[in-house]
Amino acid sequence: MLKKPQTLIALTLLAALLIFYAANSQFNPESDTLVIKQAPKTVAADLATPPGSDETQTSFIKISDERPTKTAKDVRIDSLDELMALFDSLNYTTKSWQEGNREVPRLTFESVSERWQKTSNQIPVQQKKMVFFRLLAPLILVANENILLERRLIESAPLDDVVLQKIAKKYKITKDADTPLTEQQRQTLLEEVDIMPPSLVLAQAAEESGWATSRFTVEGNAFFGQWDFSGKGMIPKQQRKELGNYGLARFDTPLASVEGYMLNLNTNNAYKKLRELRASLRAENKPITGLELAGTLDKYSERGQAYIDGIRQMISYNKLDQVDEAYLSDAAPLHLIPRPD
């Protein structure tokens, strides 16, 4: 027989269990059974921002529970016409976009070909821009999705969680991956581990890479002009000696370049104003837009305010603000393989 303290504990646990079942179930009087209600899963369509919404974009908060986990399927693309045909088959078209569809397929690719560098100036300007934006947007959304997964863990993990400690080291909150965090460090980490509006990323990628035609983009997937002082970077033809031994950072893939750019903005002291503004917008449930955050990039370029004005003009002229409402499809990812040069 249970002793009195043990009985009280058992009854308390039983009461808590009954409350849980009451909150997550309903009684069916016809069958005399208790039906447990499952919390609905989030799917890609749930990430669409409701029309006319003036709140934070849904895709900047939620992650689809049905997102694919399998390795991307290789798709050979031998010409621009074949690429356009693929876009059409995925309903990734100008017409669909103009009708309000913001779903973006999961597309990746390994590098920019020299053929693009040599021939893109022969493509009509609007088509050239469209191809650039459509290929970069999926990478940006994937990078943001991974950041949101990190945020989810940061919000819920114990302070001594091994993965949490690795994330803290990655974002330079701690110097090693073996020290438990404090609650204050958790909050600091949440300010740094956050998305970048796709409109801002697209505009900066176009500006810094010359629409993916620069030597550094072709040679090293450098879409954002990030400097590298390790001695392993790509050396500019006119290196400024007063800045030391620097080069342009190279990346294994375009996705790695996007992730490196986001990590730079999320950790470098030069962009603290961006992170503070973004945190304020999120706390107030206001839209996190490229036009808004661009105003904090006075230290990204020596051009200062002129650079900011140029990025904002790029966003406005190309209507990139619409991409801030985009979200990733749940369909299987595709890896594009171009014809060899």
Side-chain angles (χ1 to χ4, degrees), residues 16 21 84 113 184 213:
Y21 276 110
M84 300 304 294
S113 68
Q184 184 177 357
T213 63

Side-chain angles (χ1 to χ4, degrees), residues 12-52:
T12 301
L13 291 173
L14 179 60
L17 186 62
L18 289 173
I19 291 172
F20 172 80
Y21 276 110
N24 294 275
S25 63
Q26 58 185 14
F27 180 70
N28 185 340
E30 295 183 359
S31 62
D32 293 332
T33 59
L34 196 65
V35 180
I36 306 299
K37 295 189 295 183
Q38 297 293 329
K41 288 186 175 182
T42 299
V43 297
D46 297 328
L47 304 181
T49 302

Side-chain angles (χ1 to χ4, degrees), residues 137-196:
L139 306 184
I140 296 165
L141 295 178
V142 166
N144 276 340
E145 182 180 71
N146 291 334
I147 287 174
L148 288 177
L149 287 169
E150 287 181 325
R151 280 186 65 86
R152 179 183 288 182
L153 186 142
I154 294 166
E155 290 171 338
S156 60
L159 294 172
D160 59 353
D161 181 86
V162 174
V163 179
L164 176 62
Q165 292 171 193
K166 289 182 178 179
I167 294 174
K169 183 176 184 294
K170 171 184 173 182
Y171 284 87
K172 303 177 182 179
I173 298 298
T174 59
K175 294 183 178 180
D176 60 67
D178 302 316
T179 305
L181 276 67
T182 65
E183 277 297 339
Q184 184 177 357
Q185 286 175 319
R186 188 203 298 272
Q187 296 309 311
T188 302
L189 195 55
L190 285 172
E191 186 172 293
E192 295 200 351
V193 183
D194 208 343
I195 59 88
M196 290 296 165

